[in-house]
Amino acid sequence: MNLEELKAIREKAQKDIQLRQKEGRIKIIVGMGTSGIASGARGVLKAFVEEIAARNLVDVMVTQTGEKGLASQEPLIEVVEEGKPTVIYGNMNPEKAKRVVAEHIVSGNPVLDYVIETT
Amino acid sequence: MLAELSDHVMDIAMNSVRAGARNISIAIIAQRDKGTLSVSIGDDGIGMDEETLRKVSDPFYSTKAGKTVGLGVSLLKGAAEICEGEFQMRSVPGQGTEVEAVFPIDHPDVPPLGNVKDTFLLLCVTNPEVRFSFRFSADGKDFEMDTKQVNDILGGLSISHPEVVTFLSNYLEEHL
Ligand SMILES: Nc1ncnc2c1ncn2[C@@H]1O[C@H](COP(=O)(O)OP(=O)(O)OP(=O)(O)O)[C@@H](O)[C@H]1O
Ligand SMILES: [Mg+2]
């Protein structure tokens, strides 16, 4: 494998103007402060990144923050979507992350079992 | 608290991201002849003045809002010192910060490397605005990657595009 092979991906994606316009519709922010990492946030971040990539969701941005919130409920993640309340999920793990992608990100139904706050 | 060196790297690199770094270099290098394993993270973020720098390896210092305990730096320092290794942090306000931990490679308390591939991948695809340069030289592997090269090939396409993420994941799996 060679990085030059990325050219083919670029050319293919550039043809898809519609997809590019949707970029960043939803943002998933994973809390990666020290205590977040210690409680497993890296596996959660990985699950989101892999799941979004596997489903080819070009309009979802997965990002991380070093800031932290309620240490007792880490790993914490935030789902930020324009025009909708921000949803904060706590005590996440990779399986829960996959469920959030399927139900909240893809189907638009927040997973109430894991929600700790909406703002 | 952080069991693997790849967790420490993720953690220290996130300090760099929070410090507004545009360029972050990460190197994990084993030198058999010297008997060392060194982990270093350098950034061009806001940096720290001398007084802050002195306080940082104190586990109760943090500038995060609403936080009294800053742990990340002192955990890496502690991990190095527990195996009689060395730890250094240098910083220049307005220029950036460098953290280096050197472990005696054969000491039984050196934390395992863990999944370095995931740390590299996750850092670069979830911080697309930062240029990362990665170097890994250990376990018979010698790997280098600069995300500037990736971004140059991608033109305007984001490094966090799903197909790019899948490609890079496979690429790192093969080379790292
Ligand atoms: N690369 C850096 N650039 C500028 N300042 C830094 C950098 N790394 C650490 N600091 C400063 O040192 C403080 C302590 O860092 P440390 O990683 O130990 O704790 P923290 O990041 O505040 O919290 P935690 O790591 O527990 O989530 C930070 O709050 C920040 O002010
Ligand atoms: Mg930190």
Side-chain angles (χ1 to χ4, degrees), chain B residues 27-31 36-40 100-103 105 135 137:
Chain B
I28 299 174
I29 295 171
Q31 287 181 287
T36 57
L37 173 66
S38 100
V39 177
S40 54
E100 186 180 27
V102 181
F103 297 86
I105 204 162
R135 166 113 201 263
S137 177

Side-chain angles (χ1 to χ4, degrees), chain A residues 1 10 12 34 42 64 66, chain B residues 11 64 119 126 163 174:
Chain A
M1 263 178 117
R10 178 185 76 188
K12 192 170 141 228
T34 305
R42 201 170 68 149
Q64 48 176 319
Chain B
D11 183 50
K64 285 188 188 178
T119 291
T126 64
E163 287 183 53
E174 182 182 312

Side-chain angles (χ1 to χ4, degrees), chain A residues 3 9 12 15-16 27 32 38 52 56 64-65 68-70 81 85 94 102 106 109 114 118-119:
Chain A
L3 288 177
I9 296 175
K12 192 170 141 228
K15 286 192 194 120
D16 214 337
K27 231 181 182 175
M32 297 285 290
I52 299 302
N56 201 25
Q64 48 176 319
T65 170
K68 57 171 267 179
L70 308 156
E81 191 174 353
V106 174
N109 305 312
Y114 314 151
T118 53
T119 52

Side-chain angles (χ1 to χ4, degrees), chain B:
Chain B
M1 228 179 131
L2 300 183
E4 302 174 340
L5 289 176
S6 48
D7 281 332
H8 284 287
V9 169
M10 176 68 96
D11 183 50
I12 299 292
M14 283 311 290
N15 283 348
S16 300
V17 171
R18 273 179 62 234
R22 281 283 163 265
N23 294 278
I24 299 176
S25 29
I26 298 175
I28 299 174
I29 295 171
Q31 287 181 287
R32 273 269 148 224
D33 51 336
K34 290 191 192 162
T36 57
L37 173 66
S38 100
V39 177
S40 54
I41 294 105
D43 71 56
D44 64 349
I46 55 170
M48 282 167 275
D49 58 34
E50 269 175 49
E51 200 198 331
T52 311
L53 186 60
R54 234 179 299 118
K55 287 181 188 158
V56 167
S57 44
D58 168 352
F60 296 101
Y61 184 78
S62 172
T63 54
K64 285 188 188 178
K67 255 195 96 181
T68 50
V69 186
L71 282 177
V73 172
S74 43
L75 285 177
L76 180 59
K77 182 172 185 254
E81 287 175 351
I82 217 164
C83 20
E84 291 148 73
E86 278 166 38
F87 177 85
Q88 270 196 47
M89 193 169 188
R90 289 176 290 268
S91 191
V92 179
Q95 286 187 24
T97 302
E98 253 180 66
V99 174
E100 186 180 27
V102 181
F103 297 86
I105 204 162
D106 293 319
H107 196 285
D109 294 328
V110 178
L113 282 168
N115 196 327
V116 176
K117 181 209 126 180
D118 277 359
T119 291
F120 285 2
L121 179 74
L122 293 173
L123 278 171
C124 68
V125 305
T126 64
N127 297 289
E129 66 293 340
V130 178
R131 172 183 177 177
F132 284 95
S133 91
F134 298 120
R135 166 113 201 263
F136 180 87
S137 177
D139 296 343
K141 285 171 212 143
D142 209 340
F143 174 80
E144 267 182 277
M145 184 171 109
D146 186 331
T147 58
K148 175 162 192 311
Q149 194 198 345
V150 174
N151 284 319
D152 285 349
I153 298 169
L154 287 176
L157 186 67
S158 172
I159 195 168
S160 53
H161 185 282
E163 287 183 53
V164 178
V165 172
T166 305
F167 176 90
L168 289 176
S169 174
N170 294 332
Y171 179 80
L172 287 166
E173 192 71 64
E174 182 182 312
H175 293 274
L176 196 70

